Amino acid sequence: MNLRRSKMWADDAAAALLDRLHERPEMRMCLATGSTPLPMYGRLAQSPDAFAAAAVLLLDEFGDLPADEPASCDATLRRALIDHVRPADYRAIVTAHPGEPAAVDAWIDAGGLDLAVLGIGVNGHLGMNEPGAPADGRTARVDLAPTTMEGAQRYFEGRARPTWGVTVGLGDLLAAGEVWVLAAGESKADIVRRSTDGPVTTAVPASLLQRHPNVTWWLDR
Ligand code: GLP
């Protein structure tokens, strides 16, 4: 496990991602939204050609949102990155389709994931894989934990109160060639410590990453 603590974490992570893309332009990656990765996406958006051969899968999406909700994970990732870099393939998650989890799994099975770029919830969730989610889980419709619903309010400003979502499962995240977790701010300090140094348990989904051979935590000071 690689712990990188820096004031410049967003620049450093963006530079590392551009390096990876340089080595492997057709890289297949799964990307998180939330607020944490946005500064990194802002840097990447300035390299519009880097993603020309890449394939991007959205990590998760909230259920029951109006189609034009600007804070959906899809709209957030498009605005921050996708619209600027236009990857060869971009796969969002349409939560209203009952067959969507299987279709997302088929996308993953078509070539695997070289890299998963994740944030972390204050309860240790990865994507919408809340405490107790199975370590070998695949894409699924899931209920959100109370802290996740509360936290989501800052994105929706009262317009929506999602209680569920569809997320790529822990099994596929743990099978990715490389996993990055981005975490910044005092509120994440405790859960980062528990995930990196605490017991490996499904009660703290991010702790399962201790078993992954190639994980980098990009942290602010
Ligand atoms: C959300 C998302 C996660 C995200 C996390 C942290 O609920 N489902 O994918 O990483 O919570 O969000 P933020 O980066 O805004 O703190």
Side-chain angles (χ1 to χ4, degrees):
M1 176 178 17
N2 195 355
L3 281 180
R4 307 206 28 170
R5 254 187 225 96
S6 151
K7 214 166 124 184
M8 308 288 284
W9 64 274
D11 297 277
D12 295 348
L17 188 41
L18 291 175
D19 282 347
R20 298 289 191 287
L21 281 164
H22 189 72
E23 286 161 24
R24 190 172 161 76
E26 69 289 358
M27 197 160 93
R28 293 168 60 85
M29 64 192 103
C30 177
L31 298 183
T33 54
S35 50
T36 308
L38 297 181
M40 179 185 79
Y41 294 152
R43 312 296 192 277
L44 292 169
Q46 291 163 29
S47 298
D49 299 331
F51 286 73
V56 174
L57 170 65
L58 181 65
L59 171 66
D60 53 13
E61 185 58 277
F62 294 103
D64 287 335
L65 298 181
D68 61 350
E69 168 54 56
S72 71
C73 298
D74 176 39
T76 302
L77 189 63
R78 283 181 192 272
R79 225 171 21 244
L81 183 69
I82 301 298
D83 291 348
H84 307 274
V85 301
R86 306 223 160 264
D89 184 9
Y90 168 58
R91 179 64 163 90
I93 299 179
V94 184
T95 56
H97 293 172
E100 191 68 346
V104 171
D105 286 344
W107 189 100
I108 296 170
D109 291 342
L113 289 172
D114 299 309
L115 172 68
V117 178
L118 310 174
I120 182 171
V122 288
N123 61 1
H125 75 212
L126 297 176
M128 292 174 184
N129 295 288
E130 303 286 11
D136 60 354
R138 301 214 68 196
T139 309
R141 176 181 165 142
V142 292
D143 292 326
L144 302 179
T147 51
T148 306
M149 290 192 247
E150 231 167 80
Q153 288 314 305
R154 66 206 146 100
Y155 316 133
F156 295 106
E157 295 164 348
R159 291 188 304 277
R161 293 187 172 271
T163 59
W164 62 276
V166 172
T167 184
V168 173
L170 291 173
D172 288 294
L173 298 178
L174 292 167
E178 193 174 353
V179 179
W180 292 2
V181 190
L182 279 44
E186 190 65 41
S187 65
K188 299 283 173 77
D190 180 56
I191 192 62
V192 169
R193 215 169 289 122
R194 286 168 57 205
S195 301
T196 56
D197 296 342
V200 176
T201 164
T202 53
V204 180
S207 70
L208 300 172
L209 293 171
Q210 290 180 41
R211 294 192 185 136
H212 190 288
N214 193 355
V215 175
T216 302
W217 289 79
W218 299 91
L219 308 171
D220 67 353
R221 293 202 184 277

